[in-house]
Amino acid sequence: MHSNNVEFEVYGNYALFSDPIMRVGGEKCSYQVPTYEALKGILMSVYWKPTIIWYIDKVRVMNQIQTEVKGVRPIKYTGNGNDLAYYTYLKNCRYQVQAHFEWNKNRPELEGDRNENKHHNIAKRMILKGGRRDVFLGTRECQAYVEPCKFGEGSGAYDDVNELAFGVMYHGITYPDEFYSPETKDCMTVRFWRPVMKKGVIDFIRPQECTATKKIHPMKMKIFEDKKNFSGLDEFEHEEGGTIDEFV
């Protein structure tokens, strides 16, 4: 348990956690459980600043895994008009999530913003309010909702299932501003792993622990310059509608 730990529940009628390879058109089929990247995206919609990196520690599957096939008309990737495709969604989804944040050491220009108490309190308050931005379970059409919870409380559909493996699964993408090795610097890198659910809970490994990775393409990290596109505490006070003393 980390000192800046957060716990929340996210739920929605539908979810679509798909492999990036399946997002270029045609039929789409959801994974059975949320990906690390999808849960991280939810937390970043709730609260995020470039000073911090969110790490998802674990997820608990509360409802039974069910799927539903829908006919959709996505926009064609080539030409005009729409295609006809069938998407396989998860339905009646509810998950408990435990996560924490760490400082982004790749951004020394934001070192003055490393106030753990400030960011932790704002994150908890944003979870209580349901997030700063809209929350989705995988894709835009899968609207979701966030609220605080105590991880492990309540009964889950898989509390009595000792172990369930899901094979090779997409873990997430390492972007240039979160690189952790010479191999992941100045590029986008996709990570894969083999998740195992025990008693309804999946313990996520850290991004740097993923041994199966693939470079996608080169990309440079954006640098934040003081008084140009980052104004330190002035930006924080304006965004939160108060002074720094009110929120620390």
Side-chain angles (χ1 to χ4, degrees):
M1 189 73 70
H2 299 266
S3 60
N4 55 35
N5 177 74
V6 296
E7 297 175 335
F8 64 92
E9 183 172 278
V10 58
Y11 56 93
N13 293 330
Y14 294 98
L16 181 58
F17 307 113
S18 59
D19 190 305
I21 298 175
M22 302 179 66
R23 296 178 190 169
V24 294
E27 314 296 318
K28 295 183 181 180
C29 183
S30 177
Y31 283 124
Q32 295 172 292
V33 292
T35 63
Y36 179 97
E37 191 72 15
L39 296 175
K40 181 179 177 181
I42 290 172
L43 198 46
M44 291 174 68
S45 293
V46 171
Y47 175 72
W48 176 81
K49 286 292 180 68
T51 311
I52 66 176
I53 299 176
W54 283 111
Y55 289 90
I56 308 300
D57 298 317
K58 57 182 68 178
V59 62
R60 184 181 179 212
V61 181
M62 300 299 292
N63 292 350
Q64 185 177 1
I65 298 172
Q66 305 176 72
T67 60
E68 181 176 321
V69 178
K70 292 185 178 184
V72 297
R73 292 181 58 82
I75 298 174
K76 289 183 178 180
Y77 276 79
T78 57
N80 299 321
N82 298 79
D83 279 331
L84 177 61
Y86 288 99
Y87 289 5
T88 302
Y89 294 89
L90 297 177
K91 68 175 184 177
N92 189 25
C93 305
R94 188 160 65 98
Y95 309 100
Q96 290 182 353
V97 183
Q98 185 180 96
H100 73 281
F101 67 81
E102 298 177 11
W103 303 130
N104 189 344
K105 299 297 181 64
N106 298 327
R107 294 199 175 278
E109 71 272 21
L110 303 181
E111 187 173 0
D113 191 42
R114 293 177 185 174
N115 185 324
E116 182 177 19
N117 186 54
K118 179 189 79 172
H119 290 294
H120 191 211
N121 285 332
I122 297 175
K124 290 188 294 184
R125 188 165 62 253
M126 290 302 103
I127 291 174
L128 182 63
K129 292 184 177 182
R132 283 183 166 178
R133 295 180 291 171
D134 290 345
V135 175
F136 316 108
L137 288 170
T139 56
R140 183 65 176 82
E141 69 266 26
C142 299
Q143 181 75 40
Y145 305 91
V146 167
E147 61 184 38
C149 77
K150 180 64 177 177
F151 192 91
E153 283 191 350
S155 59
Y158 297 93
D159 293 347
D160 297 326
V161 178
N162 290 329
E163 188 173 298
L164 184 60
F166 298 98
V168 177
M169 185 172 168
Y170 166 72
H171 186 274
I173 295 177
T174 300
Y175 292 95
D177 59 330
E178 297 184 1
F179 77 91
Y180 51 82
S181 67
E183 292 75 25
T184 57
K185 186 176 182 180
D186 294 333
C187 66
M188 285 180 60
T189 306
V190 178
R191 311 182 305 270
F192 299 90
W193 73 310
R194 295 178 179 271
V196 177
M197 183 170 68
K198 299 180 180 179
K199 300 289 185 178
V201 176
I202 297 175
D203 289 291
F204 287 102
I205 61 177
R206 294 171 63 87
Q208 50 266 45
E209 295 175 346
C210 293
T211 56
T213 61
K214 175 68 175 180
K215 289 185 179 180
I216 302 300
H217 61 77
M219 179 183 289
K220 292 292 184 179
M221 179 178 69
K222 179 179 179 180
I223 302 299
F224 290 94
E225 299 181 25
D226 191 22
K227 307 305 179 183
K228 182 178 180 181
N229 49 19
F230 176 75
S231 54
L233 296 182
D234 294 337
E235 178 194 32
F236 168 76
E237 292 175 3
H238 174 74
E239 185 174 343
E240 293 297 326
T243 63
I244 184 66
D245 294 332
E246 296 176 11
F247 298 100
V248 173

